[in-house]
């Protein structure tokens, strides 16, 4: 994962044993990124396989298990949009060969190789008794990305993510062939970069939580070694409260300022009507343009609530004088000034949807949080853009949801809505226009997440999104995706990511001295409420994120598998239905709900989850009753009347609604079972 552009698998495999050896050759072989990636192969293989694999680099391909050929050096300075990432990987006749024209391709090929090394299994999936151990299948891969911009936008302002965690995230990005980390470095709640020119920014704007310039350089170098570009974002003129405690003269109002303790679209804005604002930004952008080597510089531009501009007589006078008709036009003016500054310092500008206004130069890249329609409109007008709508990891949606979003396809629900409203359906982009869609970025906003549970919010869902951006458009099978996501998730953990382990620790902490295994089992069918319905407005930046909802993954595998199993069960002819396994699950979950009660009752952080335990009990009971009356063997003995059906439908409906911030995700499956019962007369 991501699935390669072209792959064919042949019978047979190549064992990966302790005498594994590598040779690297070609004009690009000495590239520092290639050297770094090769150095990582030994420890990573050792972790993956549990074998003692010692560095063993050979001067020629003679005797090497893995040969890496990098044909050319980079002709231009690398780390640019559109860098060549193609590679091929061939495993045959006892030898593996990765070939790439350029160093970056070799990096991508090495990740594919490492992922392809698996416990040796035969065709039926069981461990091959004839040659146990680890191996790579004989195969041939020719691979290249579908999109050139494949990123993650990471908010480190709402909750700070220390540099070490950012590096760990970069490990994950590279592993699934994502190539951009969009670092959302400033927002209302914190200014996260050291400025030498304006040190009060971090002194007054960060509560001490910021990256020093040395740390930033270190993270950038780390990302470069992993073939990941870093695009900084400094959000302006809105979402900019954290600049103002230090520099109130930047603000559109007078008075004193503090970094925002809460969340939302806040009212403080920068003042676009003062020359001093642009002098400041010129100096600041100049400093940051040197610190961040990437060609692109993101200026945010989203969610400007115009009240302060509209109500400020000085700003109104400025607008009149410059024939600026409204706040939107004033933001256009601000953007034009900012664009000149950004370009003067050698960068290309990027902004969120809102920056797209008449007269915006075509050199600006549009990041769409609004959806395909606005992205396509920009593409038709000749702007280059990337899609983020549909890839918001903070919405707690399942991997399948994100996987089905495609930058070049209007989502079916959206299409249906437009049809119902008799609105025109946007025509698909022409091949020429499609070239303006550079790719996409997942987004992780951190209002309700922090460094402790970040990994679980990113992984494994981000791997599914990575596949959408890299693999051919035709790769869409959800079953295949989920079947591959589970092993990829484990593989990512061997790389050092903590999506499961950290949540386990959080739940152990919650359980205190009580049996956390019970809490784990109870939690295994729960999910956080979806969208923004948890309500960030109830929280402040210093509210601890230490509840059960913070310590469970966004998607419950057990619940998904249960729903799938229910569907398979109901698809069977009635005479063949056997519900033993489904009922076994329900019996166990009911037991967990019973056993977890004393923990919930006695623990002040957990009592809020008692209603969830009650609802689980009801669901299991109702589901069991439904199954017994649907099952071939027991149906006759368990007839249900229409009163039962009515009662049960209502009970399941109630259990399906949120219990605090939790959803019990076996509820939809149980609703289907109840629905399938035909009441006896
Ligand atoms: C909107 S999407 C934002 C972010 C918030 C997010 C979630 C976008 C460009 N801006 O500032 O974090 O909603 O609340």
């Amino acid at each position: 994962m991501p699935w390669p552009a072209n792959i064919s698998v042949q019978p047979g495999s190549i064992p990966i044993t302790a005498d594994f050896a590598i040779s690297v050759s070609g004009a690009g072989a000495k590239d520092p990124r290639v050297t770094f990636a090769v150095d990582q192969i030994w420890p990573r293989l050792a972790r993956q396989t549990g074998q003692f694999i010692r560095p063993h680099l050979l001067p020629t391909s003679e005797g090497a298990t893995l040969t890496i050929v990098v044909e050319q050096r980079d002709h231009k300075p690398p780390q640019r949009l559109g860098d060549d990432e193609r590679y091929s990987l061939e495993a045959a006749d006892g030898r593996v060969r990765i070939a790439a024209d350029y160093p970056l391709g070799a990096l991508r090929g090495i990740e594919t190789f490492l992922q392809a090394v698996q416990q040796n299994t035969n065709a039926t999936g069981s461990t091959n008794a004839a040659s146990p151990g680890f191996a790579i299948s004989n195969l041939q891969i020719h691979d290249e990305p579908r999109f050139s911009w494949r990123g993650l936008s990471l908010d480190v302002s709402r909750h700070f993510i220390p540099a070490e965690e950012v590096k760990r995230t970069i490990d994950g990005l590279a592993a699934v062939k994502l190539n951009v980390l969009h670092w959302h470095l400033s927002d209302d709640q914190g200014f996260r970069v050291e400025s030498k020119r304006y040190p009060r920014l971090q002194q007054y704007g960060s509560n001490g939580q910021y990256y020093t310039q040395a740390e930033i350089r270190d993270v950038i170098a780390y990302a470069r070694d992993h073939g990941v570009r870093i695009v900084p974002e400094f959000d302006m003129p809105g979402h900019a409260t954290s600049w103002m405690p230090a520099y109130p003269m930047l603000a559109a109002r007078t008075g004193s300022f503090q970094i925002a303790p809460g969340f939302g679209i806040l009212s403080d804005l920068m003042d676009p009507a003062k020359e001093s604002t642009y002098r400041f930004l010129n100096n600041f952008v100049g400093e940051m343009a040197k610190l961040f080597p990437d060609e692109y510089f993101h200026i945010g531009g989203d969610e400007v609530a115009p009240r302060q501009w509209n109500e400020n007589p000085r700003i109104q006078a400025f607008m009149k004088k410059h024939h600026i008709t409204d706040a939107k036009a004033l933001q256009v003016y601000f953007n034009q000034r900012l664009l000149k500054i950004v370009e003067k310092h050698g960068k290309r500008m990027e902004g969120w949807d809102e920056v797209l206004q008449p007269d915006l130069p075509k050199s600006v890249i549009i990041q769409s949080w609004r959806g395909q329609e606005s992205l396509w409109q920009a593409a038709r007008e000749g702007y280059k853009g990337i899609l983020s709508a549909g890839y918001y990891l903070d919405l707690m949606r399942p991997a399948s949801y994100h996987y089905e979003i495609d930058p070049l396809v209007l989502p079916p629900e959206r299409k249906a809505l437009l049809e119902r409203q008799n609105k025109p359906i946007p025509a698909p982009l022409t091949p020429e226009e499609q070239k303006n869609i550079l790719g996409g970025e997942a987004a992780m906003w951190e209002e309700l997440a922090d460094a402790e549970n970040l990994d679980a919010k990113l992984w494994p869902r981000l791997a599914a999104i990575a596949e959408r951006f890299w693999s051919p458009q035709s790769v869409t099978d959800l079953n295949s995706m989920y079947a591959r996501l589970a092993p990829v998730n484990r593989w990512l953990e061997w790389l050092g990511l903590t999506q499961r382990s950290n949540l386990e620790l959080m739940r152990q902490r919650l359980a205190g001295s009580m049996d956390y295994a019970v809490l784990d089992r109870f939690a295994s069918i729960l999910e956080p409420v979806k969208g923004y319905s948890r309500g960030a407005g109830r929280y402040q930046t210093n509210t601890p994120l230490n509840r059960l909802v913070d310590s469970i993954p966004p998607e419950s595998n057990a619940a998904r598998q249960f729903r799938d199993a229910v569907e398979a069960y109901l698809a069977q002819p009635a005479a063949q239905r056997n519900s033993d396994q489904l009922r076994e699950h329900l019996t166990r979950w009911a037991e967990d709900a019973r056993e977890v009660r004393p923990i919930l009752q006695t623990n002040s952080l957990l009592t809020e989850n008692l209603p969830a335990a009650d609802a689980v009990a009801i669901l299991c009971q109702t589901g069991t009753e439904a199954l017994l009356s649907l099952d071939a063997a027991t149906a006759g003995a368990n007839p249900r009347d229409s009163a039962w059906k009515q009662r049960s439908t209502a009970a399941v409906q109630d259990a399906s609604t949120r219990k605090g911030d939790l959803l019990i995700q076996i509820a939809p499956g149980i609703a289907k079972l109840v629905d399938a019962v035909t009441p006896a007369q």
Side-chain angles (χ1 to χ4, degrees), residues 155 158 187 239 302-303 352 369 392 394 445 447 532:
D155 166 16
R158 274 57 178 269
D187 211 300
H239 284 291
D302 57 315
E303 297 186 325
W352 294 101
W369 63 272
Y392 271 36
D394 56 329
W445 303 105
E447 283 97 336
Y532 291 127

Side-chain angles (χ1 to χ4, degrees), residues 62-108:
E62 186 76 32
T65 331
L66 172 63
T67 305
I68 300 170
V69 185
V70 188
E71 300 290 350
Q72 310 184 38
R73 270 186 219 102
D74 286 312
H75 301 314
K76 332 177 261 216
Q79 289 298 95
R80 283 164 174 266
L81 178 63
D83 279 350
D84 189 333
E85 299 176 273
R86 286 174 306 159
Y87 70 91
S88 67
L89 171 68
E90 192 176 5
D93 307 323
R95 298 243 187 284
V96 186
R97 185 173 192 272
I98 294 171
D101 285 349
Y102 295 97
L104 202 51
L107 266 56
R108 306 298 179 233

Side-chain angles (χ1 to χ4, degrees), residues 244-355:
M244 294 165 188
Y247 298 98
M249 45 71 138
L250 288 172
R253 68 163 170 94
T254 52
S256 68
F257 295 86
Q258 56 162 341
I259 50 179
F263 305 110
I265 301 179
L266 306 185
S267 50
D268 280 328
L269 296 179
M270 285 184 178
D271 188 341
K274 275 195 216 136
E275 269 316 296
S276 58
T277 302
Y278 302 105
R279 279 198 299 275
F280 181 100
L281 290 178
N282 180 41
N283 293 334
F284 175 75
V285 171
E287 182 187 9
M288 292 302 130
K290 288 205 189 77
L291 182 60
F292 291 92
D294 201 82
E295 231 184 316
Y296 290 87
F297 195 93
H298 202 307
I299 56 92
D302 57 315
E303 297 186 325
V304 172
R307 193 168 50 86
Q308 284 187 1
W309 290 351
N310 290 337
E311 290 177 0
N312 182 321
R314 189 178 39 76
I315 294 178
Q316 288 298 310
F318 175 89
M319 287 166 69
K320 214 173 247 143
K321 184 169 153 208
H322 290 83
H323 309 290
I324 296 169
T325 47
D326 58 11
K328 259 207 175 114
L330 185 56
Q331 194 182 350
V332 171
Y333 172 85
F334 176 79
N335 286 341
Q336 303 276 13
R337 298 285 309 260
L338 195 51
L339 177 66
K340 284 212 185 77
I341 292 172
V342 168
E343 289 188 337
K344 175 177 147 200
H345 294 292
K347 303 291 181 184
R348 289 168 183 254
M349 191 162 107
E350 189 188 354
W352 294 101
D353 265 328
E354 288 96 324
V355 303

